[in-house]
């Protein structure tokens, strides 16, 4: 009877260990997803800040041009060319940040998928180890009970 309880305990411990490792990997996966979302959000916020700064600069430039008696919206003026160059550079920087945000989100998903895969594997390995240890114990006790063991 003690042998059976010992075998069941060994098998249960292997399964529980596999499940505990699996839960750890799942927690790491969730953490990776959250971290990637936060990083992506930071990139997006930085992109928005660039857009806000360039719009403020354009407004200031237009106000200065108008105050100086120039038409701020006249195509071909030096003010217009400077504004377009500023806007073009800001949009390029903003697009780079938005691309970085997308890459960060995708990498977070990829990393989370890796952790979820590890969780499934550790759960399976816990069950396999339980079966192996149970089989070893059965063989050991069968040998003892059949009189084959000498100590």
């Amino acid at each position: 009877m003690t042998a059976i309880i010992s075998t069941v305990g060994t098998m249960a411990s292997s399964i529980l260990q596999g499940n505990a490792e699996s839960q750890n990997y799942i927690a790491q996966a969730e953490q990776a997803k959250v971290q990637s979302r936060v990083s992506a959000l930071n990139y997006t916020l930085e992109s928005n800040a660039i857009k806000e700064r360039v719009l403020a600069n354009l407004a200031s430039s237009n106000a200065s041009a108008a105050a100086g008696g120039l038409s701020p919206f006249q195509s071909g003026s030096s003010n217009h060319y400077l504004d377009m160059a500023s806007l073009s550079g800001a949009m390029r920087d903003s697009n780079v940040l938005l691309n970085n945000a997308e890459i960060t989100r995708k990498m977070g998903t990829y990393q989370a998928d890796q952790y979820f895969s590890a969780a499934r594997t550790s759960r399976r390995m816990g069950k396999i180890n339980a079966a192996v240890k149970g089989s070893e114990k059965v063989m050991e006790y069968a040998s003892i009970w059949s009189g084959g063991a000498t100590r």
Side-chain angles (χ1 to χ4, degrees):
M1 185 64 163
T2 306
I4 294 171
I5 293 172
S6 170
T7 302
V8 169
T10 300
M11 292 173 68
S13 128
S14 293
I15 291 172
L16 290 174
Q17 181 180 358
N19 288 344
E21 287 176 11
S22 175
Q23 290 302 315
N24 183 35
Y25 284 126
I26 290 171
Q28 288 177 331
E30 295 298 334
Q31 184 177 10
K33 285 179 5 184
V34 168
Q35 284 176 337
S36 72
R37 287 181 189 148
V38 168
S39 294
L41 182 59
N42 287 334
Y43 281 123
T44 303
L45 290 174
E46 195 173 339
S47 170
N48 290 342
I50 286 173
K51 292 172 190 172
E52 287 175 7
R53 283 194 303 272
V54 79
L55 289 176
N57 288 341
L58 290 174
S60 174
S61 173
N62 289 338
S64 295
L70 301 173
S71 173
F73 305 112
Q74 180 182 357
S75 180
S77 68
S78 61
N79 185 50
H80 180 263
Y81 289 126
L82 291 174
D83 287 348
M84 290 300 107
S86 176
L87 185 59
S88 174
M91 292 312 295
R92 190 173 41 253
D93 291 346
S94 176
N95 285 337
V96 166
L97 289 168
L98 292 176
N99 287 339
N100 287 346
E102 183 63 24
I103 290 168
T104 300
R105 273 191 290 274
K106 287 181 179 179
M107 287 306 295
T109 300
Y110 174 77
Q111 187 177 14
D113 289 344
Q114 293 298 311
Y115 282 125
F116 284 131
S117 176
R120 286 189 299 273
T121 301
S122 65
R123 200 174 309 119
R124 276 189 217 117
M125 288 307 295
K127 292 174 185 175
I128 291 169
N129 284 340
V132 167
K133 287 180 181 181
S135 298
E136 287 174 352
K137 289 289 187 181
V138 166
M139 294 301 289
E140 180 183 329
Y141 295 132
S143 174
I144 292 171
W145 290 329
S146 67
T150 56
R151 288 191 186 208

